[in-house]
Amino acid sequence: MGQILAIDYGKARCGIAATDDMQIIASGLDTVDTRFLVEFLKKYFNENHVDEVVIGLPVDLKGNISGVETDILKFIEEFKKEFPGVPVHRFDERFTSKMASFFISQSGKNKKQRQEKGLIDKVSATIILQNFLEQRTR
């Protein structure tokens, strides 16, 4: 069994999280400049066994899809060409940034650390992945 990787895709940065090899626990992995995401994934996939990828689905409170979805769909197309054997799942990412900010504020980080957008992206990816794992076990 390999890992499941989650991507909180953004125009500037992408938060990345991964499970352990038993697919039990989600952990924040990194924040990557979106321009270098495919290169990061190539290196990561060469060094780790990844079974599946979960990419956040940016939906607002009314159920409308965010404008970044166009970029995400282009990325998914590129991902499937580069990694044809790796299934891609989408998962609703509503509230993950707010939850990430809350969890970071509770962690004892100072104000500057709490406002670091890269940290929020990484924690958001972790929340997406943990929620995906929990839903799968239900």
mmCIF file of all heavy atoms in Angstrom, residues 3-9 14-19 26-30 37 40-41 44 50 52-56 89 91 121-122 124-130 132:
data_model
loop_
_atom_site.group_PDB
_atom_site.id
_atom_site.type_symbol
_atom_site.label_atom_id
_atom_site.label_comp_id
_atom_site.label_asym_id
_atom_site.label_seq_id
_atom_site.Cartn_x
_atom_site.Cartn_y
_atom_site.Cartn_z
ATOM 1 N N GLN A 3 1.075 5.774 -0.381
ATOM 2 C CA GLN A 3 0.503 6.975 0.212
ATOM 3 C C GLN A 3 -0.636 7.539 -0.641
ATOM 4 O O GLN A 3 -0.765 7.237 -1.813
ATOM 5 C CB GLN A 3 1.580 8.052 0.315
ATOM 6 C CG GLN A 3 2.756 7.682 1.163
ATOM 7 C CD GLN A 3 3.838 8.748 1.110
ATOM 8 O OE1 GLN A 3 3.740 9.748 0.419
ATOM 9 N NE2 GLN A 3 4.896 8.530 1.865
ATOM 10 N N ILE A 4 -1.426 8.373 0.008
ATOM 11 C CA ILE A 4 -2.380 9.230 -0.696
ATOM 12 C C ILE A 4 -1.853 10.649 -0.506
ATOM 13 O O ILE A 4 -1.495 11.038 0.609
ATOM 14 C CB ILE A 4 -3.800 9.111 -0.121
ATOM 15 C CG1 ILE A 4 -4.305 7.671 -0.203
ATOM 16 C CG2 ILE A 4 -4.749 10.048 -0.880
ATOM 17 C CD1 ILE A 4 -5.639 7.436 0.498
ATOM 18 N N LEU A 5 -1.782 11.395 -1.594
ATOM 19 C CA LEU A 5 -1.271 12.759 -1.570
ATOM 20 C C LEU A 5 -2.433 13.714 -1.771
ATOM 21 O O LEU A 5 -3.321 13.437 -2.578
ATOM 22 C CB LEU A 5 -0.258 12.923 -2.704
ATOM 23 C CG LEU A 5 0.717 14.072 -2.624
ATOM 24 C CD1 LEU A 5 1.773 13.758 -1.561
ATOM 25 C CD2 LEU A 5 1.407 14.250 -3.960
ATOM 26 N N ALA A 6 -2.459 14.820 -1.050
ATOM 27 C CA ALA A 6 -3.489 15.839 -1.226
ATOM 28 C C ALA A 6 -2.846 17.136 -1.665
ATOM 29 O O ALA A 6 -1.738 17.476 -1.226
ATOM 30 C CB ALA A 6 -4.273 16.068 0.061
ATOM 31 N N ILE A 7 -3.556 17.854 -2.537
ATOM 32 C CA ILE A 7 -3.083 19.133 -3.032
ATOM 33 C C ILE A 7 -4.157 20.184 -2.811
ATOM 34 O O ILE A 7 -5.293 20.016 -3.271
ATOM 35 C CB ILE A 7 -2.739 19.055 -4.537
ATOM 36 C CG1 ILE A 7 -1.674 17.983 -4.789
ATOM 37 C CG2 ILE A 7 -2.296 20.421 -5.061
ATOM 38 C CD1 ILE A 7 -1.436 17.668 -6.252
ATOM 39 N N ASP A 8 -3.797 21.229 -2.082
ATOM 40 C CA ASP A 8 -4.647 22.405 -1.957
ATOM 41 C C ASP A 8 -4.116 23.383 -2.998
ATOM 42 O O ASP A 8 -3.164 24.112 -2.754
ATOM 43 C CB ASP A 8 -4.578 22.989 -0.550
ATOM 44 C CG ASP A 8 -5.444 24.230 -0.386
ATOM 45 O OD1 ASP A 8 -6.457 24.345 -1.102
ATOM 46 O OD2 ASP A 8 -5.096 25.085 0.446
ATOM 47 N N TYR A 9 -4.716 23.355 -4.188
ATOM 48 C CA TYR A 9 -4.202 24.081 -5.345
ATOM 49 C C TYR A 9 -4.560 25.558 -5.264
ATOM 50 O O TYR A 9 -5.696 25.924 -4.999
ATOM 51 C CB TYR A 9 -4.792 23.490 -6.630
ATOM 52 C CG TYR A 9 -4.131 23.988 -7.886
ATOM 53 C CD1 TYR A 9 -3.108 23.277 -8.478
ATOM 54 C CD2 TYR A 9 -4.521 25.186 -8.475
ATOM 55 C CE1 TYR A 9 -2.490 23.735 -9.630
ATOM 56 C CE2 TYR A 9 -3.909 25.655 -9.619
ATOM 57 C CZ TYR A 9 -2.889 24.915 -10.194
ATOM 58 O OH TYR A 9 -2.279 25.380 -11.322
ATOM 59 N N CYS A 14 0.746 25.932 -3.714
ATOM 60 C CA CYS A 14 -0.057 24.736 -3.456
ATOM 61 C C CYS A 14 0.419 24.101 -2.161
ATOM 62 O O CYS A 14 1.617 23.870 -1.982
ATOM 63 C CB CYS A 14 0.099 23.725 -4.590
ATOM 64 S SG CYS A 14 -0.507 24.317 -6.172
ATOM 65 N N GLY A 15 -0.526 23.845 -1.273
ATOM 66 C CA GLY A 15 -0.215 23.098 -0.065
ATOM 67 C C GLY A 15 -0.257 21.617 -0.395
ATOM 68 O O GLY A 15 -1.112 21.168 -1.158
ATOM 69 N N ILE A 16 0.679 20.867 0.160
ATOM 70 C CA ILE A 16 0.777 19.433 -0.105
ATOM 71 C C ILE A 16 0.743 18.691 1.229
ATOM 72 O O ILE A 16 1.422 19.082 2.186
ATOM 73 C CB ILE A 16 2.099 19.067 -0.819
ATOM 74 C CG1 ILE A 16 2.383 19.983 -2.002
ATOM 75 C CG2 ILE A 16 2.118 17.597 -1.215
ATOM 76 C CD1 ILE A 16 1.516 19.794 -3.191
ATOM 77 N N ALA A 17 -0.038 17.614 1.274
ATOM 78 C CA ALA A 17 -0.084 16.737 2.443
ATOM 79 C C ALA A 17 -0.040 15.299 1.946
ATOM 80 O O ALA A 17 -0.384 15.020 0.793
ATOM 81 C CB ALA A 17 -1.358 16.978 3.257
ATOM 82 N N ALA A 18 0.383 14.392 2.806
ATOM 83 C CA ALA A 18 0.460 12.983 2.434
ATOM 84 C C ALA A 18 0.092 12.112 3.626
ATOM 85 O O ALA A 18 0.261 12.516 4.778
ATOM 86 C CB ALA A 18 1.875 12.636 1.962
ATOM 87 N N THR A 19 -0.384 10.923 3.307
ATOM 88 C CA THR A 19 -0.641 9.956 4.372
ATOM 89 C C THR A 19 0.633 9.164 4.625
ATOM 90 O O THR A 19 1.585 9.215 3.843
ATOM 91 C CB THR A 19 -1.740 8.942 3.967
ATOM 92 O OG1 THR A 19 -1.281 8.165 2.860
ATOM 93 C CG2 THR A 19 -3.043 9.627 3.644
ATOM 94 N N ALA A 26 -2.965 11.764 8.018
ATOM 95 C CA ALA A 26 -2.556 12.810 7.074
ATOM 96 C C ALA A 26 -1.587 13.751 7.768
ATOM 97 O O ALA A 26 -1.817 14.154 8.905
ATOM 98 C CB ALA A 26 -3.779 13.581 6.593
ATOM 99 N N SER A 27 -0.521 14.099 7.067
ATOM 100 C CA SER A 27 0.476 15.030 7.607
ATOM 101 C C SER A 27 0.826 16.067 6.554
ATOM 102 O O SER A 27 0.949 15.734 5.366
ATOM 103 C CB SER A 27 1.761 14.292 7.987
ATOM 104 O OG SER A 27 1.507 13.324 8.966
ATOM 105 N N GLY A 28 1.009 17.309 6.995
ATOM 106 C CA GLY A 28 1.443 18.355 6.089
ATOM 107 C C GLY A 28 2.830 18.042 5.572
ATOM 108 O O GLY A 28 3.699 17.614 6.324
ATOM 109 N N LEU A 29 3.025 18.239 4.285
ATOM 110 C CA LEU A 29 4.290 17.889 3.671
ATOM 111 C C LEU A 29 5.101 19.124 3.282
ATOM 112 O O LEU A 29 6.241 19.287 3.686
ATOM 113 C CB LEU A 29 4.007 17.033 2.434
ATOM 114 C CG LEU A 29 5.151 16.346 1.751
ATOM 115 C CD1 LEU A 29 5.856 15.391 2.692
ATOM 116 C CD2 LEU A 29 4.627 15.578 0.539
ATOM 117 N N ASP A 30 4.491 20.013 2.502
ATOM 118 C CA ASP A 30 5.236 21.142 1.975
ATOM 119 C C ASP A 30 4.271 22.147 1.366
ATOM 120 O O ASP A 30 3.087 21.864 1.178
ATOM 121 C CB ASP A 30 6.212 20.668 0.899
ATOM 122 C CG ASP A 30 7.446 21.539 0.773
ATOM 123 O OD1 ASP A 30 7.439 22.683 1.274
ATOM 124 O OD2 ASP A 30 8.429 21.078 0.171
ATOM 125 N N LEU A 37 4.994 22.870 -9.354
ATOM 126 C CA LEU A 37 4.262 21.752 -8.767
ATOM 127 C C LEU A 37 4.545 20.432 -9.471
ATOM 128 O O LEU A 37 4.802 19.420 -8.821
ATOM 129 C CB LEU A 37 2.758 22.053 -8.761
ATOM 130 C CG LEU A 37 1.856 20.969 -8.169
ATOM 131 C CD1 LEU A 37 2.243 20.676 -6.716
ATOM 132 C CD2 LEU A 37 0.397 21.402 -8.257
ATOM 133 N N PHE A 40 7.944 19.148 -8.589
ATOM 134 C CA PHE A 40 7.932 18.646 -7.215
ATOM 135 C C PHE A 40 7.316 17.244 -7.168
ATOM 136 O O PHE A 40 7.858 16.335 -6.532
ATOM 137 C CB PHE A 40 7.144 19.593 -6.303
ATOM 138 C CG PHE A 40 6.945 19.055 -4.913
ATOM 139 C CD1 PHE A 40 7.902 19.271 -3.930
ATOM 140 C CD2 PHE A 40 5.802 18.331 -4.594
ATOM 141 C CE1 PHE A 40 7.725 18.758 -2.650
ATOM 142 C CE2 PHE A 40 5.626 17.814 -3.315
ATOM 143 C CZ PHE A 40 6.588 18.034 -2.341
ATOM 144 N N LEU A 41 6.187 17.072 -7.862
ATOM 145 C CA LEU A 41 5.499 15.780 -7.847
ATOM 146 C C LEU A 41 6.335 14.689 -8.510
ATOM 147 O O LEU A 41 6.380 13.555 -8.028
ATOM 148 C CB LEU A 41 4.131 15.898 -8.521
ATOM 149 C CG LEU A 41 3.123 16.783 -7.784
ATOM 150 C CD1 LEU A 41 1.856 16.954 -8.617
ATOM 151 C CD2 LEU A 41 2.799 16.226 -6.401
ATOM 152 N N TYR A 44 8.865 13.689 -5.973
ATOM 153 C CA TYR A 44 8.224 13.011 -4.848
ATOM 154 C C TYR A 44 7.779 11.601 -5.245
ATOM 155 O O TYR A 44 7.988 10.642 -4.508
ATOM 156 C CB TYR A 44 7.027 13.825 -4.327
ATOM 157 C CG TYR A 44 6.515 13.289 -3.021
ATOM 158 C CD1 TYR A 44 7.140 13.641 -1.826
ATOM 159 C CD2 TYR A 44 5.439 12.409 -2.978
ATOM 160 C CE1 TYR A 44 6.702 13.129 -0.622
ATOM 161 C CE2 TYR A 44 4.994 11.889 -1.768
ATOM 162 C CZ TYR A 44 5.626 12.253 -0.591
ATOM 163 O OH TYR A 44 5.204 11.731 0.611
ATOM 164 N N VAL A 50 3.022 6.437 -4.336
ATOM 165 C CA VAL A 50 1.766 7.172 -4.168
ATOM 166 C C VAL A 50 0.678 6.430 -4.933
ATOM 167 O O VAL A 50 0.795 6.216 -6.139
ATOM 168 C CB VAL A 50 1.892 8.631 -4.674
ATOM 169 C CG1 VAL A 50 0.558 9.355 -4.569
ATOM 170 C CG2 VAL A 50 2.965 9.373 -3.892
ATOM 171 N N GLU A 52 -2.806 7.325 -4.821
ATOM 172 C CA GLU A 52 -3.893 8.197 -5.252
ATOM 173 C C GLU A 52 -3.557 9.640 -4.898
ATOM 174 O O GLU A 52 -2.743 9.897 -4.016
ATOM 175 C CB GLU A 52 -5.197 7.848 -4.533
ATOM 176 C CG GLU A 52 -5.606 6.406 -4.612
ATOM 177 C CD GLU A 52 -6.752 6.103 -3.670
ATOM 178 O OE1 GLU A 52 -7.858 6.622 -3.909
ATOM 179 O OE2 GLU A 52 -6.523 5.365 -2.696
ATOM 180 N N VAL A 53 -4.256 10.557 -5.569
ATOM 181 C CA VAL A 53 -4.108 11.981 -5.288
ATOM 182 C C VAL A 53 -5.496 12.574 -5.079
ATOM 183 O O VAL A 53 -6.444 12.236 -5.797
ATOM 184 C CB VAL A 53 -3.377 12.700 -6.446
ATOM 185 C CG1 VAL A 53 -3.412 14.203 -6.264
ATOM 186 C CG2 VAL A 53 -1.943 12.226 -6.544
ATOM 187 N N VAL A 54 -5.610 13.441 -4.082
ATOM 188 C CA VAL A 54 -6.843 14.160 -3.801
ATOM 189 C C VAL A 54 -6.564 15.641 -4.031
ATOM 190 O O VAL A 54 -5.595 16.181 -3.496
ATOM 191 C CB VAL A 54 -7.300 13.957 -2.332
ATOM 192 C CG1 VAL A 54 -8.580 14.728 -2.058
ATOM 193 C CG2 VAL A 54 -7.476 12.486 -2.027
ATOM 194 N N ILE A 55 -7.404 16.272 -4.828
ATOM 195 C CA ILE A 55 -7.247 17.692 -5.112
ATOM 196 C C ILE A 55 -8.499 18.413 -4.632
ATOM 197 O O ILE A 55 -9.622 17.994 -4.932
ATOM 198 C CB ILE A 55 -7.021 17.934 -6.617
ATOM 199 C CG1 ILE A 55 -5.752 17.203 -7.070
ATOM 200 C CG2 ILE A 55 -6.915 19.430 -6.914
ATOM 201 C CD1 ILE A 55 -5.514 17.239 -8.562
ATOM 202 N N GLY A 56 -8.292 19.483 -3.887
ATOM 203 C CA GLY A 56 -9.410 20.245 -3.345
ATOM 204 C C GLY A 56 -10.320 20.785 -4.440
ATOM 205 O O GLY A 56 -9.866 21.198 -5.505
ATOM 206 N N HIS A 89 -8.828 12.169 -7.233
ATOM 207 C CA HIS A 89 -10.122 12.386 -6.599
ATOM 208 C C HIS A 89 -10.262 13.874 -6.306
ATOM 209 O O HIS A 89 -9.274 14.560 -6.039
ATOM 210 C CB HIS A 89 -10.238 11.622 -5.275
ATOM 211 C CG HIS A 89 -9.950 10.172 -5.397
ATOM 212 N ND1 HIS A 89 -10.867 9.270 -5.872
ATOM 213 C CD2 HIS A 89 -8.831 9.467 -5.126
ATOM 214 C CE1 HIS A 89 -10.334 8.067 -5.875
ATOM 215 N NE2 HIS A 89 -9.098 8.151 -5.426
ATOM 216 N N PHE A 91 -12.183 16.708 -3.735
ATOM 217 C CA PHE A 91 -12.825 16.748 -2.425
ATOM 218 C C PHE A 91 -13.122 18.189 -2.055
ATOM 219 O O PHE A 91 -12.262 19.065 -2.174
ATOM 220 C CB PHE A 91 -11.923 16.100 -1.361
ATOM 221 C CG PHE A 91 -12.661 15.735 -0.114
ATOM 222 C CD1 PHE A 91 -13.393 14.567 -0.041
ATOM 223 C CD2 PHE A 91 -12.646 16.579 0.984
ATOM 224 C CE1 PHE A 91 -14.091 14.236 1.109
ATOM 225 C CE2 PHE A 91 -13.341 16.261 2.134
ATOM 226 C CZ PHE A 91 -14.065 15.092 2.196
ATOM 227 N N ASP A 121 -1.732 27.028 3.638
ATOM 228 C CA ASP A 121 -1.960 26.133 2.503
ATOM 229 C C ASP A 121 -1.622 24.685 2.853
ATOM 230 O O ASP A 121 -2.345 23.758 2.489
ATOM 231 C CB ASP A 121 -1.129 26.572 1.289
ATOM 232 C CG ASP A 121 -1.553 27.922 0.749
ATOM 233 O OD1 ASP A 121 -2.722 28.305 0.942
ATOM 234 O OD2 ASP A 121 -0.712 28.601 0.136
ATOM 235 N N LYS A 122 -0.511 24.487 3.544
ATOM 236 C CA LYS A 122 -0.087 23.133 3.926
ATOM 237 C C LYS A 122 -1.080 22.506 4.907
ATOM 238 O O LYS A 122 -1.453 21.342 4.772
ATOM 239 C CB LYS A 122 1.324 23.183 4.528
ATOM 240 C CG LYS A 122 1.871 21.826 4.887
ATOM 241 C CD LYS A 122 3.354 21.840 5.209
ATOM 242 C CE LYS A 122 3.734 22.736 6.337
ATOM 243 N NZ LYS A 122 5.148 22.578 6.739
ATOM 244 N N SER A 124 -4.206 23.375 5.222
ATOM 245 C CA SER A 124 -5.450 23.160 4.467
ATOM 246 C C SER A 124 -5.395 21.842 3.705
ATOM 247 O O SER A 124 -6.373 21.086 3.688
ATOM 248 C CB SER A 124 -5.694 24.305 3.488
ATOM 249 O OG SER A 124 -5.974 25.496 4.175
ATOM 250 N N ALA A 125 -4.265 21.555 3.082
ATOM 251 C CA ALA A 125 -4.110 20.281 2.357
ATOM 252 C C ALA A 125 -4.238 19.105 3.322
ATOM 253 O O ALA A 125 -4.855 18.086 2.993
ATOM 254 C CB ALA A 125 -2.762 20.238 1.638
ATOM 255 N N THR A 126 -3.695 19.268 4.514
ATOM 256 C CA THR A 126 -3.790 18.212 5.529
ATOM 257 C C THR A 126 -5.243 17.980 5.938
ATOM 258 O O THR A 126 -5.687 16.838 6.083
ATOM 259 C CB THR A 126 -2.929 18.572 6.755
ATOM 260 O OG1 THR A 126 -1.607 18.880 6.314
ATOM 261 C CG2 THR A 126 -2.885 17.433 7.751
ATOM 262 N N ILE A 127 -5.991 19.056 6.101
ATOM 263 C CA ILE A 127 -7.406 18.943 6.475
ATOM 264 C C ILE A 127 -8.200 18.277 5.352
ATOM 265 O O ILE A 127 -9.034 17.401 5.605
ATOM 266 C CB ILE A 127 -7.990 20.334 6.827
ATOM 267 C CG1 ILE A 127 -7.337 20.861 8.107
ATOM 268 C CG2 ILE A 127 -9.508 20.270 6.979
ATOM 269 C CD1 ILE A 127 -7.611 22.331 8.388
ATOM 270 N N ILE A 128 -7.940 18.673 4.114
ATOM 271 C CA ILE A 128 -8.615 18.043 2.967
ATOM 272 C C ILE A 128 -8.352 16.540 2.990
ATOM 273 O O ILE A 128 -9.274 15.726 2.855
ATOM 274 C CB ILE A 128 -8.126 18.658 1.631
ATOM 275 C CG1 ILE A 128 -8.635 20.097 1.488
ATOM 276 C CG2 ILE A 128 -8.576 17.809 0.435
ATOM 277 C CD1 ILE A 128 -7.959 20.883 0.367
ATOM 278 N N LEU A 129 -7.102 16.160 3.182
ATOM 279 C CA LEU A 129 -6.739 14.743 3.162
ATOM 280 C C LEU A 129 -7.334 13.986 4.335
ATOM 281 O O LEU A 129 -7.865 12.879 4.166
ATOM 282 C CB LEU A 129 -5.213 14.600 3.144
ATOM 283 C CG LEU A 129 -4.665 13.191 3.000
ATOM 284 C CD1 LEU A 129 -5.263 12.463 1.802
ATOM 285 C CD2 LEU A 129 -3.145 13.238 2.880
ATOM 286 N N GLN A 130 -7.291 14.571 5.524
ATOM 287 C CA GLN A 130 -7.863 13.892 6.695
ATOM 288 C C GLN A 130 -9.372 13.710 6.530
ATOM 289 O O GLN A 130 -9.907 12.643 6.836
ATOM 290 C CB GLN A 130 -7.546 14.663 7.980
ATOM 291 C CG GLN A 130 -7.870 13.895 9.233
ATOM 292 C CD GLN A 130 -7.037 12.635 9.383
ATOM 293 O OE1 GLN A 130 -5.829 12.643 9.238
ATOM 294 N NE2 GLN A 130 -7.687 11.521 9.678
ATOM 295 N N PHE A 132 -10.957 13.488 3.683
ATOM 296 C CA PHE A 132 -11.108 12.469 2.640
ATOM 297 C C PHE A 132 -10.964 11.072 3.245
ATOM 298 O O PHE A 132 -11.774 10.179 2.974
ATOM 299 C CB PHE A 132 -10.059 12.690 1.544
ATOM 300 C CG PHE A 132 -10.045 11.633 0.481
ATOM 301 C CD1 PHE A 132 -10.974 11.666 -0.554
ATOM 302 C CD2 PHE A 132 -9.111 10.619 0.500
ATOM 303 C CE1 PHE A 132 -10.969 10.696 -1.547
ATOM 304 C CE2 PHE A 132 -9.090 9.636 -0.482
ATOM 305 C CZ PHE A 132 -10.033 9.679 -1.515
#
